[in-house]
């Protein structure tokens, strides 16, 4: 059931600019959420959700921090409405985390040896021709640089 | 729940091969993680990765069981020689005194556990030195890391692995032979172990190397010639037994032939070096050479030359006779079409479809 939002304020100026993309991504997210698990591995089933979550936050982040195409009010509004993940965006603004895939991959407590996910390892430090897909979100490498 | 007598250890008992080449290994430890595959009591599981491109390994049997037989907790091979327990026990002539039935085994393990401490039940010092020498000769010199490779992808074998390059398992078809049916309990107790059987067969055969009847054979066949052993090294060593006619080293296949001038020299060399040859720290196996194959083809060619026919299959000349019914029945099945190299399913193999060679189809 959708959230009942009472006494909602009208969205700030410039909402028409971002609305179609956000609606589109939301529809895709709903599709990913309702998709069956058949033929997938246990870990694989959540990967599309993580990917869309990243994509949606990345869109807002680009619009506000990089291209400066939307106002502060609209940015705050999107974060509050749950279109963007504030914690993830906060990481993207730090050096070394510019391409971070998801927050689970940098959670050392989830790992056996208190490290970070395999997708955080730079390509040149990995074995040659080895393709890694991380267990949490299916990321194939989100280290900064190159 | 009574936790008395449950194993709680700080470090696993594992062999060098299972640990892998890297001296720095990160392990995880899980107390009472699983039941021992031999005695069924809970034990501490250690898990680690033995190097890049290898599968994760974990301990499979408890430390008491490992100490009783002096085996690795992971691969259940002897800790000192890396050999199956069956091979070690037959050579050392020790008896398997671990009871197989549940209650007896539990009692045995519990009673032995207190006495053991850090020692093992297998006493190598008591065994005589020839048996130890023999074990050393059978065993591998270097750790065999191929054992740590990932398992074969079962989906690939069925022909439906969708992971492609990302698949961490090996994309190979399994080799189906007598070695493919092993189980850990039999290997531990040293019963019906196909690997041990194979090793023992090999050593039994080689213990009695009979000299060939053909007196014209004066050559030795050496295997295990590594790159650092040159022809000069072999000449220096084998010159002591008699005059050498020629030495032929094939680096690619790691073999060499030594041709002596006389039969007596060759016999002396074999008797001195058989199962007992070590050059530059490498174990080299010595066998008698084979007689030069006298090709039947060349004989036939000589006979046919007069008739002028090129078909060597027809000794009497003339066109080849049409195949008879017996030929057709005994004919092997046609080779698979060139496009598909290997079979995905046993049923695709035309040789396995019940066309047995000697069967009679006629009424």
């Amino acid at each position: 059931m959708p959230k009942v939002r009472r006494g909602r304020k009208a969205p700030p100026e410039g909402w028409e600019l971002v609305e179609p993309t956000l609606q589109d991504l939301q529809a895709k997210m709903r599709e990913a959420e309702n998709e069956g698990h058949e033929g997938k591995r246990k870990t694989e089933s959540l990967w599309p959700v993580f990917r869309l979550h990243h994509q949606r936050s990345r869109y807002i982040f680009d619009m506000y921090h990089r291209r400066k195409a939307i106002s502060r009010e609209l940015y705050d509004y999107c974060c509050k409405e749950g279109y963007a993940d504030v914690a993830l965006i906060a990481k993207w603004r730090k050096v070394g985390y510019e391409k971070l895939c998801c927050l689970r991959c940098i959670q050392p407590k989830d790992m056996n040896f208190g490290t970070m996910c395999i997708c955080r390892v730079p390509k040149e430090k990995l074995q040659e021709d080895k393709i890694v897909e991380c267990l949490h979100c299916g990321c194939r490498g989100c280290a900064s640089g190159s | 729940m009574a936790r008395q007598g449950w194993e709680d250890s700080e470090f696993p008992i594992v062999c060098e091969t299972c640990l892998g080449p890297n001296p720095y290994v990160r392990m995880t430890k899980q107390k009472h993680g699983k039941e021992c595959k031999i005695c069924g009591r809970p034990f501490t599981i250690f898990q680690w990765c033995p190097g890049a491109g290898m599968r994760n390994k974990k301990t499979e049997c408890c430390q008491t069981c490992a100490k009783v037989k002096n085996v690795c907790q992971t691969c259940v091979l002897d800790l000192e020689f890396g050999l199956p327990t069956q091979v070690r026990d037959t050579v050392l002539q020790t008896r398997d005194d671990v009871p197989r039935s549940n209650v007896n085994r539990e009692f045995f393990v519990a009673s032995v556990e207190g006495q053991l401490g850090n020692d093992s039940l297998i006493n190598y010092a008591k065994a005589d030195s020839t048996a130890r020498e023999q074990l050393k000769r059978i065993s591998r010199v270097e750790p065999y890391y191929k054992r740590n490779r990932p398992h074969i992808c079962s989906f690939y074998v069925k022909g439906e692995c969708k992971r492609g390059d990302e698949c961490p398992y090996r994309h190979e078809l399994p080799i189906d032979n007598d070695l493919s049916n092993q189980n850990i309990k039999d290997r531990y107790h040293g019963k019906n172990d196909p690997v041990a059987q194979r090793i023992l067969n090999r050593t039994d055969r080689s213990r009695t190397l009979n000299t060939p009847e053909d007196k014209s054979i004066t050559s030795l066949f050496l295997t295990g010639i590594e790159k650092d052993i040159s022809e000069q090294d072999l000449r220096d060593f084998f010159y002591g037994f008699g005059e050498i006619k020629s030495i032929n080293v094939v680096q690619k296949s790691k073999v060499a032939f030594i041709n002596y001038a006389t039969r007596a020299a060759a016999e002396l060399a074999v008797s001195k070096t058989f199962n007992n040859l070590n050059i530059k720290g490498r174990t080299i196996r010595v066998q008698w050479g084979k007689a030069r194959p006298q090709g039947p083809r060349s004989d036939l060619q000589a006979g046919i030359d007069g008739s002028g026919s090129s078909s060597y299959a027809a000794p009497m000349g003339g066109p080849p006779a049409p195949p008879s019914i017996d030929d057709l029945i005994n004919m092997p099945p046609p080779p698979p079409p060139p496009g598909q190299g290997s079979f995905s399913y046993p049923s695709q193999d035309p040789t396995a479809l019940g066309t047995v060679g000697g069967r009679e189809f006629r009424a």
Side-chain angles (χ1 to χ4, degrees), chain A residues 2-39:
Chain A
K3 257 186 210 164
V4 179
R5 290 194 172 123
R6 297 175 59 217
R8 217 156 61 145
K9 267 191 267 173
E13 210 135 301
W15 172 245
E16 322 79 60
L17 189 68
V18 293
E19 195 192 0
T21 318
L22 290 179
Q23 294 298 341
D24 199 30
L25 285 171
Q26 196 160 25
K28 272 190 194 163
M29 180 68 107
R30 190 149 300 144
E31 205 174 292
E33 280 164 355
N34 292 331
E35 207 178 344
H37 62 275
E38 239 112 297

Side-chain angles (χ1 to χ4, degrees), chain A residues 39 41 113 131 133 140, chain B residues 26-27 162-163 165-166:
Chain A
R41 283 182 296 138
F113 298 108
I131 301 174
E133 273 185 331
R140 290 170 167 234
Chain B
R26 289 186 305 188
M27 284 193 189
K162 285 183 287 190
R163 296 176 72 179
D165 285 343
E166 288 95 62

Side-chain angles (χ1 to χ4, degrees), chain B residues 33-152:
Chain B
K34 268 204 168 67
E35 62 177 31
C36 167
K37 286 191 177 165
I38 311 294
C39 69
R41 298 182 313 156
F43 75 109
T44 312
I45 294 183
F46 292 91
Q47 196 164 20
W48 67 95
C49 180
M54 301 297 173
R55 70 166 189 271
N56 268 15
K57 300 206 90 175
K58 68 173 177 47
T59 51
E60 309 281 353
C61 69
C62 74
Q63 300 213 329
T64 314
C65 286
K67 277 183 206 161
V68 163
K69 286 277 190 175
N70 193 36
V71 288
C72 169
Q73 273 191 288
T74 302
C75 62
V76 204
L77 296 174
D78 183 71
L79 276 176
E80 195 168 330
F81 299 104
L83 290 168
T85 51
Q86 190 177 355
V87 173
R88 182 196 61 194
D89 289 351
T90 17
V91 173
L92 293 181
Q93 291 171 338
T94 47
R95 278 184 308 112
D96 173 29
D97 42 9
V98 184
R100 306 293 290 269
S101 68
N102 277 347
V103 181
N104 282 349
R105 192 180 51 215
E106 266 169 40
F107 174 75
F108 173 82
V109 168
S111 61
V112 117
E113 196 170 30
Q115 312 161 11
L116 271 179
N118 277 332
D119 305 331
S120 132
L121 271 193
I122 306 290
N123 194 348
Y124 296 102
K126 225 165 49 186
D128 68 296
S129 60
T130 51
R132 270 219 308 274
E133 272 301 304
Q134 198 188 345
L135 282 180
K136 203 173 248 170
R137 225 172 19 235
I138 305 172
S139 62
R140 283 179 199 280
V141 187
E142 305 209 319
Y144 181 61
Y145 294 125
K146 253 173 130 181
R147 205 160 66 206
N148 300 338
R149 282 181 307 171
H151 287 304
I152 287 174

Side-chain angles (χ1 to χ4, degrees), chain B residues 119-297:
Chain B
D119 305 331
S120 132
L121 271 193
I122 306 290
N123 194 348
Y124 296 102
K126 225 165 49 186
D128 68 296
S129 60
T130 51
R132 270 219 308 274
E133 272 301 304
Q134 198 188 345
L135 282 180
K136 203 173 248 170
R137 225 172 19 235
I138 305 172
S139 62
R140 283 179 199 280
V141 187
E142 305 209 319
Y144 181 61
Y145 294 125
K146 253 173 130 181
R147 205 160 66 206
N148 300 338
R149 282 181 307 171
H151 287 304
I152 287 174
C153 178
S154 62
F155 289 89
Y156 177 77
V157 173
K158 282 185 276 179
E160 53 189 34
C161 183
K162 285 183 287 190
R163 296 176 72 179
D165 285 343
E166 288 95 62
C167 186
Y169 297 95
R170 259 189 304 151
H171 278 189
E172 277 171 30
L173 287 179
I175 306 161
D176 198 23
N177 55 12
D178 54 339
L179 298 186
S180 42
N181 290 320
Q182 304 183 31
N183 81 63
I184 190 164
K185 265 192 177 168
D186 282 350
R187 283 180 47 218
Y188 176 82
H189 290 289
K191 301 262 159 60
N192 318 321
D193 184 351
V195 180
Q197 215 48 261
R198 186 175 270 201
I199 293 176
L200 286 174
N201 279 345
R202 202 175 59 202
T203 53
D204 278 354
R205 197 173 346 117
S206 61
R207 209 180 293 155
T208 57
L209 180 80
N210 40 3
T211 46
E213 301 278 306
D214 189 353
K215 290 285 180 197
S216 65
I217 297 175
T218 57
S219 60
L220 311 187
F221 176 58
L222 313 185
T223 48
I225 309 288
E226 295 291 336
K227 280 211 177 84
D228 53 349
I229 296 172
S230 66
E231 194 183 319
Q232 194 56 42
D233 294 326
L234 293 174
R235 193 176 286 278
D236 288 348
F237 187 85
F238 282 94
Y239 182 71
F241 304 114
E243 191 193 334
I244 294 174
K245 213 157 62 176
S246 65
I247 289 185
N248 191 3
V249 180
V250 186
Q251 286 286 4
K252 212 172 108 193
S253 41
K254 297 180 180 174
V255 298
F257 298 91
I258 293 175
N259 300 317
Y260 276 101
T262 60
R263 168 76 167 196
E267 275 178 21
L268 179 67
V270 167
S271 65
K272 293 279 188 215
T273 60
F274 178 64
N275 257 353
N276 184 26
L277 179 53
N278 223 324
I279 295 178
K280 287 190 175 173
R282 308 268 186 198
T283 307
I284 295 172
R285 287 179 210 284
V286 181
Q287 284 170 339
W288 278 99
K290 296 245 164 54
R292 277 282 159 74
Q294 267 131 32
R297 187 176 175 132

Side-chain angles (χ1 to χ4, degrees), chain B residues 319-332:
Chain B
S324 66
I325 297 292
D326 288 282
D327 287 344
L328 286 179
I329 286 172
N330 291 331
M331 204 164 62

